[in-house]
Amino acid sequence: MELGGSHKGRVAGRPSMTTLLLLLPLSTYGMQQKAKCPLNLIRDENSVMNFYRSGDYLISGVTPLKYIKDLSPFTFSSTPYSKLQSRMNGRDWHILSFLLAVQELNHNPVLLPNITLGYSIYDTYFDGRTTSDALTDLLAGGKINIPNYSCGRREKLLAFLEGGESDISTYIASMLGTYKIPQLSYGLVQDDVQSPFVYHMVPKQETQHLGMVQLLLHFRWTWVGLFAPDNDNGEKFLSTLTPLMTSKEICVAFTKRVLLHTWLWLPHEQPAVWRQVNVFVYYTGSQYGLHIIIEVQSFLERLQTGGKVWITTALQNTILFYDTESFRYAHGSLSFILKTKRRTKKDYYKPMSGASLIIWAENFDCSYSKHALSVRGWTRCREKENLKMLPRAEIEKIQSQDNYVNYYSVQVVAEALNAAYSSSSKRMLTVGAGNKLEPERLQPWQLHPYLKEVRFSSNTSAGGQNLDETGALAIGFDIVNWVMFPNNSRARVKIGSIERQTSPDLKFTINPEAIVWSKPFNKMVPRSRCTESCLPGYSRKVQEEKPPCCYDCSPCSEGTISTQEDADECIKCPEDQHPNEDRDHCVPKVITFLSYEECLGSILASLALFLSLATCFVLGIFIKYKETPIVKANNRDLSYILLVSLLLSFLSSFLFIGKPRKGTCLLRQTAFSIIFSVAVSSILAKTITVVLAFLATKPGNRVRRWLGKCLANYIVISCSSVQVIICTIWLGISPPFPDSNMHSQPKEIILQCNEGSVAMFYVALGYMGFLAAICFMVAFLARKLPGAFNEAKLITFSMLVFCSVWVSFVPTYLSTKGKFMVAVQVLSILASSAGLLGCIFVPKCYIILLRPDLNMKEHLTIKS
């Protein structure tokens, strides 16, 4: 076969460079000294580092040793070249934390015996382009960056650790998902459907969001500003937290999206808004830390808006290493950090000691290498053998810098691997010439069932922690206060915590007294509200076209109260209480009734007693002078019945005075009705007797046969019996009973007798009125009958007084309330009875006692 052929422009028999490349095996390509790759990259200015330790299984990851503010983009007019524009604080403890976690496991005699773990960590600056190159290098084996080809180390890659922003995590998940390699992330929790092989080494973000809302509610901060990075993480943070805040009536004054790498933000709000909002909630990516707080606080200092409180997601302990001028902006801030079982002390929050720096500087062999087929060169640092263990205190100083995230992540992988090897279903293979039995080497995808069920054993320092059903670390958060003391020393002080429970609610605890606020607040709890709180006695009234936090305060209406600030609505007091003058709490109502101790009750009782004695006096006179003509002429028996009825009516008023009881309630209205019916019936009998007596004087009149005691008794008994029947039906259907009226008077509980059936009460009262009306009409017609002493005139006037009293009683009774209703009825009883006594019997007593000359039969028969 002829190489090259007879192409135009080509020397016959001389193969081209391309032809040589096709003929030579790939394994010998690197040995061709004269061959040159057409893509000849120069060494990048930023030397990307790879830290490596060999082992039976490899745990890899990406972490930033340096923050890069900007990487110049690739251009197609020159050789691809990554130029570092600016670089920020070193974070060597990230690598040390990872290294020490692996070292501890390798020295653990119980966990993973006879298995050595290795690691391969890449410094990628949290840059997507550099991260992609690192993954390509990792999957290719760490020599030639050719995906799907194992050209380098032979260690089994077991899992991958990362804590980047959402876009970085997505890049990693898309590449590792092809190989089903477990990805342990301590960034934002991603969608499990899109990333089924991702395990989250931080609790669910919803737990942190609910904790932030609880913290805002605890201090009654309802007017806050939100800051978040302008990426998927920040957008998810805002879309999740904002509805939670709104549901708890916490209003967002403004939302600021920060451009990453530049920390650019644009303050469009008026200075008045910045002065009014004293609390900012800030979702911070781990790689940006304190910078946005410094930028915002510097701007606000120029506006002289006073102090602010920052509530942030996990600020790492590295902010304690900032200079005094920078850290003062974080003084008084509150952060939610991963809750650990290890109790870290304040002296842990110091820069790494000299021993740690010696490990970092002297225990790695570093060299730059770049294979001809690789598109990027790496500074590879291999861990030296026989690395000495640091003191436990120094180890915890380092691991506390990221709240043990790296430590927990490595522990999770180790526990899952240990569970896989300890499983009763493990397969045994015959390996080697000696037919030695060894467990099958696990592939990364075989680790997933054990990662989902991992629980730290008591053999590790993280004993008791586990992953939940979604693959997230099932622990809570500590709430910490960043403090700078007068001597410029700094500390992270725990002031509370939130813990997940089996119920939907969180266990939220906080110690407000332990918080050190920034100086402008003068040790007082800051206020952050759109409007001043509504005092007790007022309720909130939402203003139109304004957030619900910007409201007016309206006083509680009559009969209602509000006992706390910012009440949504005023509430009514219990029935036995009433609002005080300020309408901010309820006071017991005064129990009242018509008692003998009060002035009104004593007056009515005295009047009833006096009239009763007067009636007894009149009755005594009539009994003493019963044989006199004037007593006989007016039907002596009816006069006795009427006087006794009037006496009982006066005495019945005592049933209305005093505390209502069951007996008095049953008797008062029925006794009053029956007694008055007997009295009116007696007067009616008197009137009819007078009329019949004058009619009987006419010759040939048959009325004479009706005269006598039988007619009078029949009238009294029959008319009174109707009232007795009415009262019996009343007591049988719905009898009166003691009751408490709590509504007629706002400040009083009125003890009264409930009539049971109001209809029966007015039926009984109406019947008495009916009898009185008949009696009045008959007496009015008989008033002009001849006689020196015509009793019909006295009965007419007495009935006029009686009817006037009870006609005025009805509207007066209905218009009064409480004990005054009882007083009106008692007064009506006394007045009407006194009217009958005075109009009918006083003139007779006057004649009997003072004008005995008129108490003669001859005088009574004289026609007027």
Side-chain angles (χ1 to χ4, degrees):
M1 180 178 176
E2 182 180 356
L3 296 177
S6 57
H7 294 289
K8 184 178 180 181
R10 179 177 300 166
V11 179
R14 184 178 180 181
S16 67
M17 177 64 70
T18 305
T19 306
L20 288 173
L21 287 174
L22 292 174
L23 291 174
L24 292 174
L26 181 62
S27 60
T28 62
Y29 178 78
M31 300 176 61
Q32 303 299 315
Q33 299 297 327
K34 296 182 180 181
K36 293 184 179 180
C37 179
L39 184 61
N40 186 19
L41 296 180
I42 62 176
R43 180 170 177 174
D44 290 339
E45 179 181 306
N46 56 314
S47 183
V48 185
M49 304 187 74
N50 170 227
F51 297 87
Y52 170 75
R53 173 196 171 102
S54 62
D56 298 321
Y57 288 98
L58 205 64
I59 302 176
S60 185
V62 292
T63 187
L65 292 183
K66 297 171 287 292
Y67 288 145
I68 294 181
K69 191 171 183 180
D70 188 24
L71 278 173
S72 59
F74 285 157
T75 63
F76 295 92
S77 60
S78 61
T79 301
Y81 173 63
S82 296
K83 184 179 180 182
L84 184 63
Q85 297 295 334
S86 63
R87 174 178 304 184
M88 294 192 177
N89 300 0
R91 292 162 35 120
D92 301 339
W93 53 267
H94 258 292
I95 298 297
L96 282 178
S97 175
F98 201 101
L99 181 154
L100 293 171
V102 174
Q103 188 183 51
E104 178 180 318
L105 289 173
N106 287 334
H107 285 79
N108 192 323
V110 179
L111 191 66
L112 295 177
N114 302 322
I115 295 178
T116 301
L117 293 179
Y119 60 84
S120 180
I121 305 300
Y122 291 85
D123 174 20
T124 60
Y125 312 121
F126 278 120
D127 173 62
R129 194 170 70 203
T130 309
T131 301
S132 178
D133 292 341
L135 289 172
T136 304
D137 181 74
L138 175 68
L139 297 173
K143 267 194 175 182
I144 306 174
N145 305 146
I146 304 175
N148 295 322
Y149 283 85
S150 180
C151 304
R153 295 185 290 262
R154 300 182 58 187
E155 288 86 358
K156 288 288 186 179
L157 175 61
L158 198 61
F160 192 88
L161 278 57
E162 55 86 15
E165 295 293 334
S166 57
D167 51 352
I168 303 296
S169 296
T170 303
Y171 297 154
I172 297 172
S174 62
M175 294 187 70
L176 297 183
T178 305
Y179 305 94
K180 299 181 180 180
I181 298 174
Q183 177 182 343
L184 280 70
S185 173
Y186 48 91
L188 186 70
V189 176
Q190 303 175 52
D191 190 346
D192 293 330
V193 177
Q194 296 179 359
S195 306
F197 309 117
V198 177
Y199 301 87
H200 308 288
M201 299 314 300
V202 293
K204 291 183 178 180
Q205 296 297 311
E206 288 76 6
T207 303
Q208 196 175 45
H209 299 162
L210 291 172
M212 288 183 171
V213 172
Q214 290 291 333
L215 182 63
L216 293 172
L217 291 175
H218 178 82
F219 289 109
R220 305 180 65 187
W221 293 329
T222 58
W223 192 237
V224 301
L226 298 183
F227 287 84
D230 190 14
N231 59 12
D232 292 345
N233 281 10
E235 196 61 39
K236 185 171 183 178
F237 171 77
L238 295 175
S239 62
T240 305
L241 182 63
T242 303
L244 287 176
M245 294 171 59
T246 304
S247 65
K248 299 296 183 179
E249 298 185 355
I250 301 173
C251 299
V252 179
F254 59 83
T255 300
K256 291 298 179 183
R257 291 173 172 83
V258 182
L259 298 177
L260 299 183
H261 301 293
T262 60
W263 304 294
L264 177 63
W265 64 288
L266 301 175
H268 298 294
E269 287 73 15
Q270 297 296 325
V273 176
W274 293 103
R275 293 187 179 93
Q276 197 175 33
V277 181
N278 289 329
V279 176
F280 298 150
V281 178
Y282 171 32
Y283 177 84
T284 170
S286 59
Q287 68 272 35
Y288 299 109
L290 192 60
H291 301 290
I292 188 62
I293 297 179
I294 296 173
E295 294 251 347
V296 176
Q297 288 293 104
S298 300
F299 166 75
L300 296 180
E301 281 188 353
R302 294 193 295 271
L303 293 180
Q304 297 180 350
T305 59
K308 305 297 177 185
V309 176
W310 288 82
I311 301 175
T312 75
T313 53
L315 281 176
Q316 294 181 345
N317 290 351
T318 50
I319 73 168
L320 295 162
F321 306 154
Y322 280 71
D323 59 86
T324 303
E325 180 63 22
S326 298
F327 185 83
R328 70 180 180 88
Y329 293 114
H331 173 67
S333 298
L334 307 176
S335 295
F336 287 77
I337 65 170
L338 192 64
K339 190 178 184 67
T340 63
K341 281 205 166 186
R342 297 187 178 188
R343 299 294 182 182
T344 56
K345 300 178 182 179
K346 292 181 181 179
D347 59 357
Y348 291 168
Y349 309 140
K350 299 176 182 178
M352 289 185 295
S353 67
S356 301
L357 295 176
I358 290 174
I359 290 179
W360 179 248
E362 297 182 356
N363 288 277
F364 286 93
D365 289 327
C366 299
S367 62
Y368 178 81
S369 64
K370 177 182 178 298
H371 196 277
L373 291 181
S374 299
V375 296
R376 174 182 289 279
W378 297 87
T379 299
R380 302 192 188 276
C381 298
R382 181 185 181 90
E383 182 184 321
K384 295 179 181 180
E385 298 295 333
N386 302 320
L387 185 64
K388 294 182 179 180
M389 288 288 289
L390 287 173
R392 170 51 61 184
E394 192 69 21
I395 291 175
E396 297 213 0
K397 286 181 185 179
I398 296 170
Q399 290 177 340
S400 68
Q401 306 306 314
D402 62 353
N403 302 307
Y404 295 90
V405 168
N406 279 331
Y407 178 81
Y408 281 140
S409 301
V410 174
Q411 290 281 5
V412 165
V413 177
E415 289 285 350
L417 181 60
N418 186 67
Y421 271 94
S422 302
S423 175
S424 59
S425 61
K426 63 186 178 181
R427 291 178 295 173
M428 306 296 290
L429 297 179
T430 302
V431 181
N435 293 331
K436 181 181 178 181
L437 291 179
E438 291 184 359
E440 181 186 10
R441 290 179 63 85
L442 289 173
Q443 299 298 323
W445 55 268
Q446 293 177 302
L447 203 61
H448 290 293
Y450 304 99
L451 282 171
K452 294 177 180 178
E453 298 178 359
V454 70
R455 182 176 182 86
F456 295 122
S457 68
S458 58
N459 299 317
T460 67
S461 300
Q465 309 296 354
N466 64 295
L467 302 184
D468 63 12
E469 67 280 357
T470 64
L473 195 61
I475 57 177
F477 290 89
D478 283 335
I479 306 173
V480 299
N481 181 208
W482 300 97
V483 181
M484 185 169 71
F485 298 101
N487 61 358
N488 292 334
S489 61
R490 306 137 199 193
R492 186 188 73 181
V493 181
K494 178 181 175 181
I495 52 97
S497 65
I498 51 173
E499 298 178 7
R500 295 169 60 182
Q501 301 185 26
T502 54
S503 62
D505 298 330
L506 296 176
K507 182 180 179 181
F508 174 82
T509 58
I510 192 168
N511 180 17
E513 290 76 17
I515 301 176
V516 179
W517 305 107
S518 58
K519 291 182 179 179
F521 298 116
N522 195 23
K523 299 181 180 181
M524 301 292 292
V525 177
R527 296 179 61 87
S528 187
R529 309 177 66 87
C530 180
T531 57
E532 289 297 324
S533 300
C534 292
L535 298 176
Y538 293 81
S539 63
R540 298 188 301 180
K541 183 178 181 182
V542 179
Q543 304 181 51
E544 294 184 3
E545 300 181 356
K546 287 189 177 182
C549 301
C550 303
Y551 46 79
D552 286 332
C553 299
S554 59
C556 293
S557 59
E558 184 69 29
T560 61
I561 64 163
S562 63
T563 58
Q564 59 184 7
E565 292 185 355
D566 295 329
D568 292 328
E569 58 183 10
C570 299
I571 59 175
K572 291 185 177 180
C573 289
E575 289 187 344
D576 60 343
Q577 298 178 3
H578 70 93
N580 64 340
E581 293 184 0
D582 295 330
R583 299 178 185 175
D584 56 2
H585 68 276
C586 297
V587 295
K589 290 183 177 179
V590 178
I591 297 177
T592 182
F593 54 89
L594 187 61
S595 64
Y596 293 101
E597 288 77 12
E598 61 181 304
C599 181
L600 180 60
S602 60
I603 291 174
L604 292 176
S606 300
L607 184 60
L609 182 60
F610 170 76
L611 293 174
S612 300
L613 294 176
T615 305
C616 292
F617 178 72
V618 173
L619 180 60
I621 292 175
F622 267 62
I623 293 174
K624 182 178 180 179
Y625 297 97
K626 61 183 178 180
E627 300 299 331
T628 59
I630 195 168
V631 175
K632 291 181 178 181
N634 290 281
N635 197 328
R636 181 174 54 192
D637 294 337
L638 288 178
S639 297
Y640 293 158
I641 294 174
L642 179 57
L643 285 171
V644 172
S645 299
L646 292 177
L647 176 62
L648 293 176
S649 67
F650 289 132
L651 295 177
S652 69
S653 61
F654 288 101
L655 295 173
F656 292 85
I657 304 174
K659 185 177 182 179
R661 293 180 175 83
K662 186 176 181 180
T664 56
C665 288
L666 286 172
L667 291 176
R668 64 164 59 171
Q669 297 293 359
T670 54
F672 151 72
S673 301
I674 294 173
I675 291 170
F676 259 69
S677 296
V678 172
V680 176
S681 299
S682 301
I683 296 173
L684 179 61
K686 272 179 168 289
T687 307
I688 293 175
T689 301
V690 171
V691 173
L692 292 178
F694 280 99
L695 292 176
T697 59
K698 296 180 180 180
N701 197 314
R702 299 179 180 179
V703 177
R704 184 184 296 271
R705 73 178 69 175
W706 295 100
L707 292 176
K709 294 183 179 180
C710 293
L711 177 61
N713 294 335
Y714 176 77
I715 292 174
V716 173
I717 293 173
S718 61
C719 292
S720 300
S721 298
V722 175
Q723 188 69 285
V724 171
I725 293 172
I726 292 174
C727 291
T728 303
I729 295 173
W730 183 2
L731 294 177
I733 295 176
S734 181
F737 58 90
D739 192 15
S740 299
N741 186 346
M742 301 183 182
H743 306 291
S744 61
Q745 296 293 334
K747 299 181 180 181
E748 297 178 351
I749 298 176
I750 301 171
L751 300 183
Q752 61 183 19
C753 288
N754 190 307
E755 309 304 344
S757 174
V758 178
M760 294 303 297
F761 169 71
Y762 284 107
V763 168
L765 196 64
Y767 179 72
M768 285 191 297
F770 171 73
L771 291 179
I774 293 176
C775 185
F776 174 76
M777 293 172 59
V778 174
F780 181 78
L781 294 175
R783 73 188 186 281
K784 294 184 179 180
L785 291 176
F789 188 81
N790 185 0
E791 195 178 23
K793 295 180 180 179
L794 302 178
I795 294 175
T796 301
F797 188 71
S798 66
M799 284 296 100
L800 182 62
V801 174
F802 183 89
C803 292
S804 300
V805 170
W806 288 105
V807 167
S808 61
F809 162 78
V810 175
T812 307
Y813 184 81
L814 295 177
S815 62
T816 54
K817 296 179 180 180
K819 61 184 179 181
F820 297 103
M821 296 179 68
V822 180
V824 167
Q825 187 170 2
V826 172
L827 190 61
S828 299
I829 292 172
L830 296 178
S832 58
S833 300
L836 296 177
L837 180 65
C839 294
I840 295 176
F841 293 100
V842 168
K844 297 177 182 179
C845 291
Y846 171 76
I847 293 174
I848 293 173
L849 298 177
L850 301 179
R851 295 292 302 274
D853 57 312
L854 299 178
N855 191 7
M856 299 177 62
K857 185 175 181 181
E858 295 79 6
H859 178 75
L860 295 177
T861 55
I862 298 175
K863 294 182 179 180
S864 57

